[in-house]
Amino acid sequence: MLPLTSSRLLALWEHGAPRHPLDRALLLFAQAAPDIPAEQLADRPLGECNAALMRLRWSSFGSRVALWLDCPTCGERMEFELMPDQLPAMQQPPESVEVAGQRFRCPTSRDLARVAHMVDMELAADQLLLGCAGNSEVPGIPREQIEGALESADPWADLSLAFQCPACGRDGEAGFDVASYLWEEVDVSARQLLNEVHLLAQTYGWSEAEILALSPARRSAYLARVAP
Ligand SMILES: [Zn+2]
């Protein structure tokens, strides 16, 4: 997995900033999995996308993932670090699973896009499964059973983390959206890079390309001289 270089990161940010979060996730997926043809990315299982994004994150920003969560009961802010061994093992999800004799595709970004406009989450979940069943109606199988089977087959599709609030004792699970998390880091890093380019270009008259081509260590050394 090649880490994002300064110039790739800035180009990614420029293309992704005005887009919908689902499109940003696909842009990140394209960076993370350059061997997959672009037209196939939206039809890959969500877990394959999320796992590739996590590998890109680790190679670009390191394996320490800092997270925070406000307790839904008392508002206490909980901060923790997510280590790689706390996440499910990475495996290629199957294209589909069988539940009570019916086949269901593992959900993809295209499936999510179909229901992204829906405000009723229950209805959206039903529609998602309908799309995955390829039918106009889901046969009489309990939704939990289908969701459980899909989750076991593709645990990276919808990551959640267990928490317990140290202040009030509330415990529960919180979703972890790899694409949003990584995009946030890309956004912060891109703005930082733009500041650095601005300062160095102003001081030395170098072009953006010249500044981005500097190694991070060399760029920091010059920046320390410009704004100690
Ligand atoms: Zn609490």
Side-chain angles (χ1 to χ4, degrees):
M1 173 68 59
L2 286 174
L4 288 169
T5 58
S6 298
S7 52
R8 275 173 71 208
L9 185 140
L10 216 46
L12 180 63
W13 173 80
E14 186 181 12
H15 287 119
R19 300 203 188 184
H20 187 277
L22 283 174
D23 293 327
R24 286 179 189 159
L26 287 175
L27 279 177
L28 291 166
F29 194 14
Q31 292 290 323
D35 296 339
I36 300 178
E39 68 276 11
Q40 292 180 14
L41 292 170
D43 297 309
R44 295 291 186 133
L46 287 172
E48 183 180 359
C49 172
N50 283 337
L53 263 48
M54 202 67 212
R55 286 195 297 271
L56 180 65
R57 196 281 171 190
W58 287 332
S59 72
S60 301
F61 299 104
S63 59
R64 288 180 54 182
V65 174
L67 296 171
W68 58 264
L69 170 72
D70 290 335
C71 173
T73 299
C74 73
E76 173 86 358
R77 176 151 296 190
M78 295 171 269
E79 294 180 2
F80 43 98
E81 251 179 41
L82 178 63
M83 302 308 290
D85 62 4
Q86 293 171 275
L87 290 162
M90 286 187 182
Q91 61 198 20
Q92 179 64 35
E95 292 295 323
S96 64
V97 293
E98 190 180 318
V99 185
Q102 169 82 33
R103 291 215 77 82
F104 292 86
R105 274 189 303 102
C106 287
T108 64
S109 299
R110 200 181 298 283
D111 294 318
L112 275 191
R114 280 196 199 102
V115 300
H117 65 284
M118 298 177 71
V119 285
D120 184 330
M121 300 310 284
E122 292 291 307
L123 215 54
D126 283 340
Q127 286 298 314
L128 188 72
L129 290 186
L130 273 179
C132 294
N135 289 341
S136 54
E137 63 181 82
V138 175
I141 308 170
R143 196 170 87 195
E144 296 73 29
Q145 193 181 340
I146 305 167
E147 287 174 343
L150 289 172
E151 200 176 310
S152 302
D154 189 10
W156 274 80
D158 189 12
L159 293 172
S160 58
L161 307 168
F163 70 85
Q164 181 165 40
C165 174
C168 74
R170 157 114 186 222
D171 56 13
E173 287 200 333
F176 173 50
D177 184 341
V178 184
S180 300
Y181 186 85
L182 178 54
W183 180 260
E184 189 64 32
E185 290 186 313
V186 166
D187 186 50
V188 169
S189 302
R191 290 172 194 278
Q192 173 74 24
L193 266 174
L194 290 173
N195 280 338
E196 294 179 9
V197 169
H198 173 69
L199 273 175
L200 293 177
Q202 234 178 8
T203 306
Y204 297 108
W206 298 334
S207 70
E208 184 193 63
E210 286 169 330
I211 294 166
L212 293 179
L214 293 170
S215 69
R218 200 176 279 205
R219 200 157 53 223
S220 309
Y222 283 117
L223 282 166
R225 283 158 178 78
V226 173

